[in-house]
Structures are given as C-alpha cells and as structure tokens.
Amino acid sequence: MGHQSGSRGRQLQKWPLFKPLAAAVACSCALESQAANLEEVLVTATRRDQAVQDIPYNISVLSGEALQRGGISDLSSLARQIPGFTFIDLGVRSNGVASGIILRGMNASAAGINNFAPPPGNPTVTTYLNETPLFTNLKIADVQRVEVLRGPQGTLYGAGSVGGTVRFVYNRPDPERLSGDIQTKLSQTRDAGDLNYSADGVINIPMGGRAALRVAAGYEQYAGFVDAVNLVQLDASGIPVLADPSDPDNSPTIFYSKKDVDEADIQYLRAALLLDVSERLEVLVTVHRQKDSADDFTAKNPLDNRRQHRRLLESPLERETDLYSLELTADLGFATLTSASSYTDMKRPSWHDATGYIQSTVNAFYGGYPRPAYRNASVVKEQQFIQEVRLVSAESSGPDWLDWIAGIYYSDFERTNDVESSLLGYTDWLGSDFGSDVVFQLNQKIDTKETAFFGELTLKASEALQFTLGARYFDLDDTRVSDVGIPSIPLFNRGESDASDTGTLIKLNASYRVNDDLMIYATRSEGYRQGGANPVPTIGPFRIPDPALIPYQPDEATNYELGVKGQHWGWLNYSLAAYQIDWKRVQIQLPAPGSGIAILVNGNDAVSRGVELELRGAVNENLQLGFGYSYNKAELTDDFFIIQSVQGSDGDELPGVPNHQVTASMDYFQQTALFGASDLHYRLDFSYRNKTDTALNDQVGNFAKLDGFPIWNASVNWSSGSWRVGAFVNNILDEDGITAVDFPFPAASTDGNVEFLGRPRTMGVSVGYKF
C-alpha cells in the first residue's frame, strides 16, 4: 500500500470506495504531488499478489467496503456496478438454478430457459468462492473483494471458461484481534403487503496467536409483491375442486386469487478456521452453508400491466448448498505451493406449473380432461469433488526476468435430476386403475470427470516490457443416462451417452509500461466447453424424431483484446479495452422434441465485438466518482437450421445481451458534529441497459423483445464510532427491470407465459454496530 501523508490523505483513506483507486492526499493541489501518493490494493486474480493497475488484462475489482457502501448483497445488484457485467435476474426462486452471468456477450441460449431445470452443459462464466468453482444464488456478505476477469480463462484457473471468471474472495480469520460486526435492515417494497428484513453478523475470534476462527451468519426475508390471480383450488388430497360437483365428467375447477405469492428467504452460515502451523505453512478450513426458500416465481403475465401472473399452480422451491474446503499454503522458498480441496453437496426440490404445455399440445392424449392442472415435481442433487494444486514462483527466487505458474486440476461432478409430472385429479376423473396422477417421469444422471494441467510463463524483457505464454491441457470423460416414461403403464425408454475429449488451449499476452501512469497490453486467449451426446430415447413414444440431434460438438472461443490502463491527474484511474471473440459451433440449449429433456445442439459460428471503459477516482477528500460504459455487438455469422423451432440467420443477435450498458456512482463524505464527531456518507448510483432479445429470433421458442431500463439508487449513512445508521431507496423510478421470459407455449396459450421481474422500488433503513 502506498504511503499516505497529510490531513487530506488521511481523511480520504478513511472512506475508500474502491481500493484500487488513487486518492489525492498531499496538502498541495499540484497534480505531480498527488500522483506520487496513490493508494493501491493487492489482488490475486493472476495467482500472485499484484496491484490492479499492474495487471495486463481487463479486470474489475470491488472491495468489501465498496460492496457495503453500494448496498450490494446479491448478483443482481453487483451487476449494476460493473460495466459489461450482464445478469439474467430470475428472482430468488430461480437465480440458483443456473448461472445467469454473461460477460462479453457470450450467451446463445434463450434468456430464462433455465428457470426450473439446470442446463445440460457448462456456463460460459465460471464463479469462484475463494478457491472453489461453484455457482449458487450467493448472498454476498463478509466478502473482502470481488474480482471480475473478462474473456476466456483456463491457463490460470482449474475450471476454465469461455466468457470470463468471477471470484468472491472472503475475509480471512485474523489471529491478531477480536472483532465483530452486526447489521439489520428493514424495508418496504412497492406492491408488497409485508416488510423485508435481514440480519447479518460476523465475529472474528483469535485462538492462541497462531489461529483464529471467523463465523458469518445471516437471514434475509424478501416480501412477495406478485399476485396470482388464476390459481386452481385443490382439496386436501391435491385434487382440483369441482365448480359443479353434480357433473364430475365435465365440470371445470374453482379458481381463486392470492397476493404476494413470491415470498422468499435466504439463510447462510460460513465458518472459517485459520491455522498458522509454522512460518511456512498455513491451513484454512471452511464450511459454507446456504439455504434458499421461495414460494413462487417473481414474474408477471406479459399481457397484464400489474405485477401478477395467471399460472394455475404455485411453483415453490427449496435449495440447500453445503461447501467444505481445505486450503493449504506452503512457502517452499523457490515457490509457493497451494493445495485446494473442496466438496460441494447441493439438493434442490422444486415444483412448477406446466399446465400450458398440456393445454396447447397433448391434452387430447388424455381424453380431453376438463380440469388440466399439470405440475412438475423435481429433485436435483449435485455432488462435486475438486482438487487443485498450484506452484507459483517466488519473487526472490530464480532469475529476475522469469515468473511462472503451474497447476493441476481434477474435478468429479455428479448430478441426478428426478422429475415426476402429474395431471392433478386425472386418475379420479378417469375412474380406472390407471394407478396415479403421474403421467410422465424422468430420471437423469450425469457424471463428468476432468483432469487438466495449466500454467503460465512470463518473460520480463525489460522493466517496461513483458510477454506471457499460457497453456492448458485437459482430458475429460462424460457419462449421461436418462430414463423417461409413464410409470403407471409402465412404459420406459432409456437414452445413454458416453463422451470423452482431450485438447490444448493457448494464451499469449504482451504488455508495455510506457511510464508509471500508463500501460498498454494485448492478449490472445482460447476457451472451450465440452461436447458430447444427449441422453435421449431413440425408441418409444418419447423418442427423439431425428437421431442427428443426439451428438453435439464442443464450442470454442478465441479472444483478441487490446487495452490501455493507468492513472491521470493523480486522482483518476482508468481502463479501456477493445475485444473480438470468435465463437465456433456455439452450443444452444433446447427442449428435446418428444420428451422435453434439456439437450444441447450446435448453431454454427458467432462473433462478439465490443469496448469496455471504466473510470474511478477521488476528486478531492470529499467526492468520489465512478463511471463505466460497455458496448457489445454479439451476433451469429452463419445461417443454420436444426429443426423448425431452432434456426438462425447471419446477423441474429445473441440473446440476453444488451448493446449498451452504463454504470455511474457518486459518493460524497462529510464530517459533522451531529451527536458528537461523526461522519455522513451520501451515495447516488445509476445503471442502464438498453433493449435485448431473449432468443435468437422469433422462430425460436422463448422469444421476446425487451425494452431497456434505468435503475437509480440513493442512500445516506451516518456513522460515529462503532455505530452506523442508514436510509436507502433502491430502484427509485420503480422499473420492472425485465431481463428474461418464460414463453414455452404457443401465443394462443398466454396464461402460462411470464416475464421475470426485478425488485420494485424499495425504501428502508439499516442499523449496524462493529467492535
């Protein structure tokens, strides 16, 4: 960290918004004096401690203090602070079903398609919790910093990616002092009948000088604001209640309305034990548990102006995620050895209404049942073991002109997905020995094992010029089995697939430091996602009509990037990057014809081009400003035709990707004599994303054109000593903030179609105490 001097520097350091930003600290207003006293923060995105402005890639970093001051507690609010970071917000219920993060336009599947079932393939963006690659509906709390690396990653990280990597680095236990922090919030969301509330706490406990325990825990209750206006009334046995009991063969059901159906809550607990075994060996053991619960989708019918939906059944979800990790760090003298072992266990039972599918497609198959209420019950379980070992060369060892990193990565991932689809009341109406209301069943298992060797060599040609060569070799095996059928007949068909692949990815980077305040760089990097075969039946009533849909190829991305970053006027940090990503054989998800099983197909090639600009600065001791802008044009470059509902044309824009995104923030700090010496912090932030399409074109299911929207937030916080009190207003203009849809049914069947909503205007207060 750079030396700070003068009252102006000490005052500004007291309120850092973004740690990597420079602060004007000298009493003199001369720019040269200010430039010499910039504050730096070290990050580990490149697997060694390095200042953000010295990293020759486009990386954004938000410190823990910046997260707190910006009120950032989830991925949706995080995305509004980082240029080019797109998040498909599906609400608490579905945000943990699949990753909704898009970087640099890398997405080809319909936005919102994974609102109830996990995707069959890998996301384009990898998320890390410390050293563990894992995506969940993360509650962002007790986080030291968030690092966002854009473009393909794989030569530095065991879990590679084609679009980028997002790292959440948690605060570590501190053996030096006892400390703690507690905070509670209370707020009101427009159209919600109840209040939102949350409580979070963290305590750090030293244990004998060489060890410490850090525990963070919290609970957040989200009040529902969506009304269901067309629910089917069910009796105690789950059978639709007849509107006319005297005519059981033809009577429709009774419908009713219910307010605030999308109530949800999140509970989390994270405990970390740090042991300094010796001067050269450190052990960190972490247990992270999170439980999400939601009563329904946060979504509205597209034909309604009000926040309400017309689906016939509620769609609750429960999700439990447990992460256990062991990190060993050893100083070997010539290098630092890091071993990261982790085991993740996730279970997610859920239900969702699919009545529109029956009404619009196969109701005749069930004899014209007059009370269609079709419910899917799903239980997804995931287990993953990951082992990563890295060696990072020491600065003081070896030649001054060479740095290197070498790693081994192993992953064993298993997922089961058991689905039962029931036509409620069907057996009772049929009056036969059909057996049960379960009319469709899917039992699916995926087992993927990957081994990878990765590393980088950095040649320092001079103090200003350096070159980096990175490589990754991978070997993976993938086995998938799906049993689909009608259990009451019984009738089952099996689909099986086995796939394996090996390959090598290369990264080239060059950077030149023009002077202390300016660096330019260029990068060529490669990304890859595995291919395979879709486990769908080839015989029976649920068979796939075209066997050509069974195999799918890997997709590959090649990223070209040119950037400049530095600091100006002694108080402004900037980064500007231009890029092009050539994406070959893009993978697209769709429901398999015949069975509805999620499968992958290839849609030829695409290209993503854009620029990213980020400005952060402390104008003076009171005022800090931030601004970000990204332009992205991601589109197909070739026509393709797979089936009628999956086709694309040259120039079709990739779904869910806005062309323009803007972020801006202003923080003003003031010392007051209110209740004694105290501080006031005022914040105003803004984000905007322009219009998007939710699918490639109107021939593809789930297609809609969505308007762009701005989000304004404001807050004021008072602090004195250990206490702090705040007030905030989020989404001041009360925008719906629609980023995805679920349009699985024909236009004639609109009751089941929904648009996913962001959270409406929310006003609240917070109180915190730290020691």
Side-chain angles (χ1 to χ4, degrees), residues 537-567:
T538 56
I539 59 173
F542 302 108
R543 68 184 180 277
I544 197 162
D546 185 354
L549 294 175
I550 293 178
Y552 65 95
Q553 301 301 311
D555 59 356
E556 301 171 357
T558 304
N559 172 68
Y560 304 92
E561 178 179 343
L562 180 65
V564 58
K565 62 198 313 184
Q567 55 202 27

PDB file of all heavy atoms in Angstrom, residues 537-567:
ATOM      1  N   PRO A 537     -34.102 -40.900 -25.572  1.00  0.00           N
ATOM      2  CA  PRO A 537     -34.522 -42.196 -26.134  1.00  0.00           C
ATOM      3  C   PRO A 537     -34.575 -42.145 -27.661  1.00  0.00           C
ATOM      4  O   PRO A 537     -34.906 -41.122 -28.261  1.00  0.00           O
ATOM      5  CB  PRO A 537     -35.922 -42.408 -25.551  1.00  0.00           C
ATOM      6  CG  PRO A 537     -36.013 -41.478 -24.387  1.00  0.00           C
ATOM      7  CD  PRO A 537     -35.136 -40.321 -24.706  1.00  0.00           C
ATOM      8  N   THR A 538     -34.249 -43.285 -28.259  1.00  0.00           N
ATOM      9  CA  THR A 538     -34.332 -43.410 -29.712  1.00  0.00           C
ATOM     10  C   THR A 538     -35.480 -44.310 -30.147  1.00  0.00           C
ATOM     11  O   THR A 538     -35.712 -44.475 -31.350  1.00  0.00           O
ATOM     12  CB  THR A 538     -33.015 -43.966 -30.275  1.00  0.00           C
ATOM     13  OG1 THR A 538     -32.716 -45.213 -29.638  1.00  0.00           O
ATOM     14  CG2 THR A 538     -31.878 -42.989 -30.016  1.00  0.00           C
ATOM     15  N   ILE A 539     -36.191 -44.911 -29.173  1.00  0.00           N
ATOM     16  CA  ILE A 539     -37.363 -45.725 -29.466  1.00  0.00           C
ATOM     17  C   ILE A 539     -38.463 -45.339 -28.484  1.00  0.00           C
ATOM     18  O   ILE A 539     -38.209 -44.694 -27.465  1.00  0.00           O
ATOM     19  CB  ILE A 539     -37.074 -47.236 -29.354  1.00  0.00           C
ATOM     20  CG1 ILE A 539     -36.584 -47.582 -27.928  1.00  0.00           C
ATOM     21  CG2 ILE A 539     -36.044 -47.675 -30.389  1.00  0.00           C
ATOM     22  CD1 ILE A 539     -36.432 -49.075 -27.685  1.00  0.00           C
ATOM     23  N   GLY A 540     -39.693 -45.739 -28.786  1.00  0.00           N
ATOM     24  CA  GLY A 540     -40.801 -45.483 -27.882  1.00  0.00           C
ATOM     25  C   GLY A 540     -41.468 -44.152 -28.144  1.00  0.00           C
ATOM     26  O   GLY A 540     -41.045 -43.368 -29.004  1.00  0.00           O
ATOM     27  N   PRO A 541     -42.523 -43.842 -27.368  1.00  0.00           N
ATOM     28  CA  PRO A 541     -43.303 -42.621 -27.611  1.00  0.00           C
ATOM     29  C   PRO A 541     -42.559 -41.337 -27.304  1.00  0.00           C
ATOM     30  O   PRO A 541     -42.965 -40.267 -27.759  1.00  0.00           O
ATOM     31  CB  PRO A 541     -44.514 -42.798 -26.690  1.00  0.00           C
ATOM     32  CG  PRO A 541     -44.031 -43.699 -25.608  1.00  0.00           C
ATOM     33  CD  PRO A 541     -43.071 -44.649 -26.262  1.00  0.00           C
ATOM     34  N   PHE A 542     -41.471 -41.399 -26.525  1.00  0.00           N
ATOM     35  CA  PHE A 542     -40.716 -40.197 -26.162  1.00  0.00           C
ATOM     36  C   PHE A 542     -39.404 -40.110 -26.936  1.00  0.00           C
ATOM     37  O   PHE A 542     -38.508 -39.357 -26.556  1.00  0.00           O
ATOM     38  CB  PHE A 542     -40.445 -40.169 -24.662  1.00  0.00           C
ATOM     39  CG  PHE A 542     -41.681 -40.216 -23.821  1.00  0.00           C
ATOM     40  CD1 PHE A 542     -42.006 -41.363 -23.111  1.00  0.00           C
ATOM     41  CD2 PHE A 542     -42.532 -39.129 -23.755  1.00  0.00           C
ATOM     42  CE1 PHE A 542     -43.161 -41.406 -22.335  1.00  0.00           C
ATOM     43  CE2 PHE A 542     -43.682 -39.174 -22.988  1.00  0.00           C
ATOM     44  CZ  PHE A 542     -44.000 -40.317 -22.278  1.00  0.00           C
ATOM     45  N   ARG A 543     -39.294 -40.884 -28.014  1.00  0.00           N
ATOM     46  CA  ARG A 543     -38.052 -40.902 -28.794  1.00  0.00           C
ATOM     47  C   ARG A 543     -37.829 -39.553 -29.478  1.00  0.00           C
ATOM     48  O   ARG A 543     -38.772 -38.829 -29.796  1.00  0.00           O
ATOM     49  CB  ARG A 543     -38.096 -42.012 -29.839  1.00  0.00           C
ATOM     50  CG  ARG A 543     -39.105 -41.772 -30.948  1.00  0.00           C
ATOM     51  CD  ARG A 543     -39.169 -42.963 -31.906  1.00  0.00           C
ATOM     52  NE  ARG A 543     -40.135 -42.743 -32.974  1.00  0.00           N
ATOM     53  CZ  ARG A 543     -41.433 -42.959 -32.872  1.00  0.00           C
ATOM     54  NH1 ARG A 543     -41.935 -43.404 -31.726  1.00  0.00           N
ATOM     55  NH2 ARG A 543     -42.234 -42.738 -33.901  1.00  0.00           N
ATOM     56  N   ILE A 544     -36.579 -39.280 -29.740  1.00  0.00           N
ATOM     57  CA  ILE A 544     -36.240 -38.065 -30.464  1.00  0.00           C
ATOM     58  C   ILE A 544     -36.494 -38.315 -31.955  1.00  0.00           C
ATOM     59  O   ILE A 544     -36.148 -39.385 -32.486  1.00  0.00           O
ATOM     60  CB  ILE A 544     -34.777 -37.656 -30.189  1.00  0.00           C
ATOM     61  CG1 ILE A 544     -34.539 -36.198 -30.596  1.00  0.00           C
ATOM     62  CG2 ILE A 544     -33.783 -38.590 -30.852  1.00  0.00           C
ATOM     63  CD1 ILE A 544     -33.289 -35.606 -29.979  1.00  0.00           C
ATOM     64  N   PRO A 545     -37.139 -37.402 -32.666  1.00  0.00           N
ATOM     65  CA  PRO A 545     -37.517 -37.679 -34.049  1.00  0.00           C
ATOM     66  C   PRO A 545     -36.342 -37.727 -35.022  1.00  0.00           C
ATOM     67  O   PRO A 545     -36.437 -38.353 -36.073  1.00  0.00           O
ATOM     68  CB  PRO A 545     -38.469 -36.524 -34.386  1.00  0.00           C
ATOM     69  CG  PRO A 545     -38.096 -35.432 -33.452  1.00  0.00           C
ATOM     70  CD  PRO A 545     -37.656 -36.106 -32.193  1.00  0.00           C
ATOM     71  N   ASP A 546     -35.249 -37.064 -34.679  1.00  0.00           N
ATOM     72  CA  ASP A 546     -34.105 -37.011 -35.595  1.00  0.00           C
ATOM     73  C   ASP A 546     -32.848 -37.410 -34.827  1.00  0.00           C
ATOM     74  O   ASP A 546     -32.387 -36.660 -33.957  1.00  0.00           O
ATOM     75  CB  ASP A 546     -33.951 -35.605 -36.159  1.00  0.00           C
ATOM     76  CG  ASP A 546     -32.848 -35.519 -37.209  1.00  0.00           C
ATOM     77  OD1 ASP A 546     -32.143 -36.529 -37.412  1.00  0.00           O
ATOM     78  OD2 ASP A 546     -32.693 -34.445 -37.819  1.00  0.00           O
ATOM     79  N   PRO A 547     -32.265 -38.572 -35.117  1.00  0.00           N
ATOM     80  CA  PRO A 547     -31.050 -39.004 -34.407  1.00  0.00           C
ATOM     81  C   PRO A 547     -29.885 -38.032 -34.547  1.00  0.00           C
ATOM     82  O   PRO A 547     -28.949 -38.064 -33.744  1.00  0.00           O
ATOM     83  CB  PRO A 547     -30.723 -40.359 -35.061  1.00  0.00           C
ATOM     84  CG  PRO A 547     -32.020 -40.825 -35.634  1.00  0.00           C
ATOM     85  CD  PRO A 547     -32.731 -39.580 -36.070  1.00  0.00           C
ATOM     86  N   ALA A 548     -29.939 -37.146 -35.553  1.00  0.00           N
ATOM     87  CA  ALA A 548     -28.865 -36.173 -35.725  1.00  0.00           C
ATOM     88  C   ALA A 548     -28.798 -35.186 -34.562  1.00  0.00           C
ATOM     89  O   ALA A 548     -27.787 -34.489 -34.386  1.00  0.00           O
ATOM     90  CB  ALA A 548     -29.038 -35.422 -37.041  1.00  0.00           C
ATOM     91  N   LEU A 549     -29.873 -35.111 -33.742  1.00  0.00           N
ATOM     92  CA  LEU A 549     -29.880 -34.208 -32.599  1.00  0.00           C
ATOM     93  C   LEU A 549     -29.158 -34.795 -31.387  1.00  0.00           C
ATOM     94  O   LEU A 549     -28.990 -34.106 -30.379  1.00  0.00           O
ATOM     95  CB  LEU A 549     -31.320 -33.874 -32.202  1.00  0.00           C
ATOM     96  CG  LEU A 549     -32.136 -33.069 -33.218  1.00  0.00           C
ATOM     97  CD1 LEU A 549     -33.571 -32.922 -32.742  1.00  0.00           C
ATOM     98  CD2 LEU A 549     -31.506 -31.709 -33.457  1.00  0.00           C
ATOM     99  N   ILE A 550     -28.744 -36.048 -31.463  1.00  0.00           N
ATOM    100  CA  ILE A 550     -28.127 -36.677 -30.289  1.00  0.00           C
ATOM    101  C   ILE A 550     -26.701 -36.171 -30.055  1.00  0.00           C
ATOM    102  O   ILE A 550     -26.381 -35.719 -28.961  1.00  0.00           O
ATOM    103  CB  ILE A 550     -28.176 -38.208 -30.425  1.00  0.00           C
ATOM    104  CG1 ILE A 550     -29.625 -38.686 -30.361  1.00  0.00           C
ATOM    105  CG2 ILE A 550     -27.343 -38.869 -29.319  1.00  0.00           C
ATOM    106  CD1 ILE A 550     -29.796 -40.173 -30.533  1.00  0.00           C
ATOM    107  N   PRO A 551     -25.788 -36.211 -31.023  1.00  0.00           N
ATOM    108  CA  PRO A 551     -24.436 -35.711 -30.738  1.00  0.00           C
ATOM    109  C   PRO A 551     -24.373 -34.183 -30.820  1.00  0.00           C
ATOM    110  O   PRO A 551     -25.107 -33.550 -31.575  1.00  0.00           O
ATOM    111  CB  PRO A 551     -23.594 -36.349 -31.852  1.00  0.00           C
ATOM    112  CG  PRO A 551     -24.556 -36.510 -32.987  1.00  0.00           C
ATOM    113  CD  PRO A 551     -25.893 -36.801 -32.366  1.00  0.00           C
ATOM    114  N   TYR A 552     -23.512 -33.600 -30.023  1.00  0.00           N
ATOM    115  CA  TYR A 552     -23.207 -32.177 -30.150  1.00  0.00           C
ATOM    116  C   TYR A 552     -21.713 -31.974 -29.957  1.00  0.00           C
ATOM    117  O   TYR A 552     -21.056 -32.718 -29.226  1.00  0.00           O
ATOM    118  CB  TYR A 552     -24.022 -31.328 -29.167  1.00  0.00           C
ATOM    119  CG  TYR A 552     -23.725 -31.565 -27.701  1.00  0.00           C
ATOM    120  CD1 TYR A 552     -22.814 -30.772 -27.010  1.00  0.00           C
ATOM    121  CD2 TYR A 552     -24.361 -32.586 -27.003  1.00  0.00           C
ATOM    122  CE1 TYR A 552     -22.535 -30.983 -25.672  1.00  0.00           C
ATOM    123  CE2 TYR A 552     -24.102 -32.809 -25.660  1.00  0.00           C
ATOM    124  CZ  TYR A 552     -23.187 -32.006 -24.998  1.00  0.00           C
ATOM    125  OH  TYR A 552     -22.925 -32.231 -23.669  1.00  0.00           O
ATOM    126  N   GLN A 553     -21.187 -30.963 -30.633  1.00  0.00           N
ATOM    127  CA  GLN A 553     -19.751 -30.725 -30.661  1.00  0.00           C
ATOM    128  C   GLN A 553     -19.349 -29.724 -29.581  1.00  0.00           C
ATOM    129  O   GLN A 553     -20.168 -28.920 -29.111  1.00  0.00           O
ATOM    130  CB  GLN A 553     -19.341 -30.197 -32.032  1.00  0.00           C
ATOM    131  CG  GLN A 553     -19.663 -31.126 -33.176  1.00  0.00           C
ATOM    132  CD  GLN A 553     -18.993 -32.467 -33.029  1.00  0.00           C
ATOM    133  OE1 GLN A 553     -17.779 -32.532 -32.766  1.00  0.00           O
ATOM    134  NE2 GLN A 553     -19.748 -33.550 -33.170  1.00  0.00           N
ATOM    135  N   PRO A 554     -18.084 -29.732 -29.182  1.00  0.00           N
ATOM    136  CA  PRO A 554     -17.613 -28.670 -28.277  1.00  0.00           C
ATOM    137  C   PRO A 554     -17.675 -27.319 -28.971  1.00  0.00           C
ATOM    138  O   PRO A 554     -17.601 -27.230 -30.197  1.00  0.00           O
ATOM    139  CB  PRO A 554     -16.170 -29.074 -27.967  1.00  0.00           C
ATOM    140  CG  PRO A 554     -15.762 -29.958 -29.098  1.00  0.00           C
ATOM    141  CD  PRO A 554     -17.006 -30.671 -29.551  1.00  0.00           C
ATOM    142  N   ASP A 555     -17.866 -26.268 -28.177  1.00  0.00           N
ATOM    143  CA  ASP A 555     -17.731 -24.924 -28.753  1.00  0.00           C
ATOM    144  C   ASP A 555     -16.437 -24.299 -28.237  1.00  0.00           C
ATOM    145  O   ASP A 555     -15.980 -24.586 -27.140  1.00  0.00           O
ATOM    146  CB  ASP A 555     -18.956 -24.048 -28.499  1.00  0.00           C
ATOM    147  CG  ASP A 555     -19.274 -23.842 -27.029  1.00  0.00           C
ATOM    148  OD1 ASP A 555     -18.596 -24.442 -26.176  1.00  0.00           O
ATOM    149  OD2 ASP A 555     -20.208 -23.084 -26.735  1.00  0.00           O
ATOM    150  N   GLU A 556     -15.843 -23.468 -29.071  1.00  0.00           N
ATOM    151  CA  GLU A 556     -14.526 -22.901 -28.788  1.00  0.00           C
ATOM    152  C   GLU A 556     -14.562 -21.401 -29.023  1.00  0.00           C
ATOM    153  O   GLU A 556     -15.201 -20.916 -29.956  1.00  0.00           O
ATOM    154  CB  GLU A 556     -13.467 -23.541 -29.686  1.00  0.00           C
ATOM    155  CG  GLU A 556     -13.380 -25.050 -29.516  1.00  0.00           C
ATOM    156  CD  GLU A 556     -12.488 -25.708 -30.557  1.00  0.00           C
ATOM    157  OE1 GLU A 556     -11.983 -24.969 -31.441  1.00  0.00           O
ATOM    158  OE2 GLU A 556     -12.309 -26.926 -30.505  1.00  0.00           O
ATOM    159  N   ALA A 557     -13.881 -20.672 -28.166  1.00  0.00           N
ATOM    160  CA  ALA A 557     -13.830 -19.216 -28.271  1.00  0.00           C
ATOM    161  C   ALA A 557     -12.370 -18.756 -28.339  1.00  0.00           C
ATOM    162  O   ALA A 557     -11.525 -19.228 -27.574  1.00  0.00           O
ATOM    163  CB  ALA A 557     -14.517 -18.573 -27.072  1.00  0.00           C
ATOM    164  N   THR A 558     -12.112 -17.851 -29.258  1.00  0.00           N
ATOM    165  CA  THR A 558     -10.794 -17.223 -29.349  1.00  0.00           C
ATOM    166  C   THR A 558     -10.966 -15.727 -29.147  1.00  0.00           C
ATOM    167  O   THR A 558     -11.682 -15.067 -29.903  1.00  0.00           O
ATOM    168  CB  THR A 558     -10.134 -17.499 -30.711  1.00  0.00           C
ATOM    169  OG1 THR A 558     -10.053 -18.912 -30.929  1.00  0.00           O
ATOM    170  CG2 THR A 558      -8.729 -16.916 -30.743  1.00  0.00           C
ATOM    171  N   ASN A 559     -10.323 -15.213 -28.119  1.00  0.00           N
ATOM    172  CA  ASN A 559     -10.475 -13.821 -27.699  1.00  0.00           C
ATOM    173  C   ASN A 559      -9.248 -13.010 -28.108  1.00  0.00           C
ATOM    174  O   ASN A 559      -8.106 -13.402 -27.832  1.00  0.00           O
ATOM    175  CB  ASN A 559     -10.642 -13.781 -26.171  1.00  0.00           C
ATOM    176  CG  ASN A 559     -10.622 -12.370 -25.620  1.00  0.00           C
ATOM    177  OD1 ASN A 559     -11.519 -11.586 -25.865  1.00  0.00           O
ATOM    178  ND2 ASN A 559      -9.578 -12.044 -24.848  1.00  0.00           N
ATOM    179  N   TYR A 560      -9.493 -11.880 -28.776  1.00  0.00           N
ATOM    180  CA  TYR A 560      -8.437 -10.926 -29.120  1.00  0.00           C
ATOM    181  C   TYR A 560      -8.751  -9.626 -28.393  1.00  0.00           C
ATOM    182  O   TYR A 560      -9.856  -9.084 -28.520  1.00  0.00           O
ATOM    183  CB  TYR A 560      -8.391 -10.684 -30.623  1.00  0.00           C
ATOM    184  CG  TYR A 560      -8.210 -11.940 -31.445  1.00  0.00           C
ATOM    185  CD1 TYR A 560      -9.318 -12.637 -31.911  1.00  0.00           C
ATOM    186  CD2 TYR A 560      -6.940 -12.423 -31.742  1.00  0.00           C
ATOM    187  CE1 TYR A 560      -9.168 -13.799 -32.670  1.00  0.00           C
ATOM    188  CE2 TYR A 560      -6.781 -13.581 -32.496  1.00  0.00           C
ATOM    189  CZ  TYR A 560      -7.898 -14.264 -32.949  1.00  0.00           C
ATOM    190  OH  TYR A 560      -7.742 -15.411 -33.693  1.00  0.00           O
ATOM    191  N   GLU A 561      -7.775  -9.116 -27.662  1.00  0.00           N
ATOM    192  CA  GLU A 561      -8.038  -7.951 -26.814  1.00  0.00           C
ATOM    193  C   GLU A 561      -6.860  -6.991 -26.859  1.00  0.00           C
ATOM    194  O   GLU A 561      -5.694  -7.400 -26.810  1.00  0.00           O
ATOM    195  CB  GLU A 561      -8.280  -8.411 -25.373  1.00  0.00           C
ATOM    196  CG  GLU A 561      -8.513  -7.299 -24.375  1.00  0.00           C
ATOM    197  CD  GLU A 561      -8.780  -7.828 -22.975  1.00  0.00           C
ATOM    198  OE1 GLU A 561      -9.105  -9.028 -22.853  1.00  0.00           O
ATOM    199  OE2 GLU A 561      -8.664  -7.054 -22.014  1.00  0.00           O
ATOM    200  N   LEU A 562      -7.182  -5.703 -26.941  1.00  0.00           N
ATOM    201  CA  LEU A 562      -6.177  -4.645 -26.878  1.00  0.00           C
ATOM    202  C   LEU A 562      -6.653  -3.638 -25.841  1.00  0.00           C
ATOM    203  O   LEU A 562      -7.804  -3.186 -25.896  1.00  0.00           O
ATOM    204  CB  LEU A 562      -6.017  -3.973 -28.241  1.00  0.00           C
ATOM    205  CG  LEU A 562      -4.990  -2.835 -28.332  1.00  0.00           C
ATOM    206  CD1 LEU A 562      -3.583  -3.368 -28.084  1.00  0.00           C
ATOM    207  CD2 LEU A 562      -5.069  -2.156 -29.696  1.00  0.00           C
ATOM    208  N   GLY A 563      -5.792  -3.299 -24.887  1.00  0.00           N
ATOM    209  CA  GLY A 563      -6.236  -2.436 -23.803  1.00  0.00           C
ATOM    210  C   GLY A 563      -5.184  -1.458 -23.352  1.00  0.00           C
ATOM    211  O   GLY A 563      -3.994  -1.588 -23.635  1.00  0.00           O
ATOM    212  N   VAL A 564      -5.662  -0.440 -22.650  1.00  0.00           N
ATOM    213  CA  VAL A 564      -4.802   0.554 -22.037  1.00  0.00           C
ATOM    214  C   VAL A 564      -5.367   0.855 -20.657  1.00  0.00           C
ATOM    215  O   VAL A 564      -6.577   0.889 -20.455  1.00  0.00           O
ATOM    216  CB  VAL A 564      -4.717   1.835 -22.904  1.00  0.00           C
ATOM    217  CG1 VAL A 564      -6.100   2.426 -23.135  1.00  0.00           C
ATOM    218  CG2 VAL A 564      -3.806   2.871 -22.269  1.00  0.00           C
ATOM    219  N   LYS A 565      -4.487   1.032 -19.689  1.00  0.00           N
ATOM    220  CA  LYS A 565      -4.950   1.353 -18.339  1.00  0.00           C
ATOM    221  C   LYS A 565      -3.879   2.191 -17.648  1.00  0.00           C
ATOM    222  O   LYS A 565      -2.690   2.130 -17.970  1.00  0.00           O
ATOM    223  CB  LYS A 565      -5.259   0.086 -17.538  1.00  0.00           C
ATOM    224  CG  LYS A 565      -4.075  -0.821 -17.307  1.00  0.00           C
ATOM    225  CD  LYS A 565      -4.477  -2.241 -16.899  1.00  0.00           C
ATOM    226  CE  LYS A 565      -5.514  -2.319 -15.826  1.00  0.00           C
ATOM    227  NZ  LYS A 565      -5.810  -3.707 -15.403  1.00  0.00           N
ATOM    228  N   GLY A 566      -4.355   2.968 -16.696  1.00  0.00           N
ATOM    229  CA  GLY A 566      -3.407   3.808 -15.971  1.00  0.00           C
ATOM    230  C   GLY A 566      -4.118   4.789 -15.076  1.00  0.00           C
ATOM    231  O   GLY A 566      -5.260   4.567 -14.647  1.00  0.00           O
ATOM    232  N   GLN A 567      -3.453   5.910 -14.802  1.00  0.00           N
ATOM    233  CA  GLN A 567      -3.994   6.932 -13.926  1.00  0.00           C
ATOM    234  C   GLN A 567      -3.652   8.311 -14.490  1.00  0.00           C
ATOM    235  O   GLN A 567      -2.677   8.475 -15.225  1.00  0.00           O
ATOM    236  CB  GLN A 567      -3.430   6.781 -12.516  1.00  0.00           C
ATOM    237  CG  GLN A 567      -1.912   6.784 -12.457  1.00  0.00           C
ATOM    238  CD  GLN A 567      -1.364   6.127 -11.219  1.00  0.00           C
ATOM    239  OE1 GLN A 567      -1.992   5.261 -10.639  1.00  0.00           O
ATOM    240  NE2 GLN A 567      -0.183   6.547 -10.818  1.00  0.00           N
TER     241      GLN A 567
END
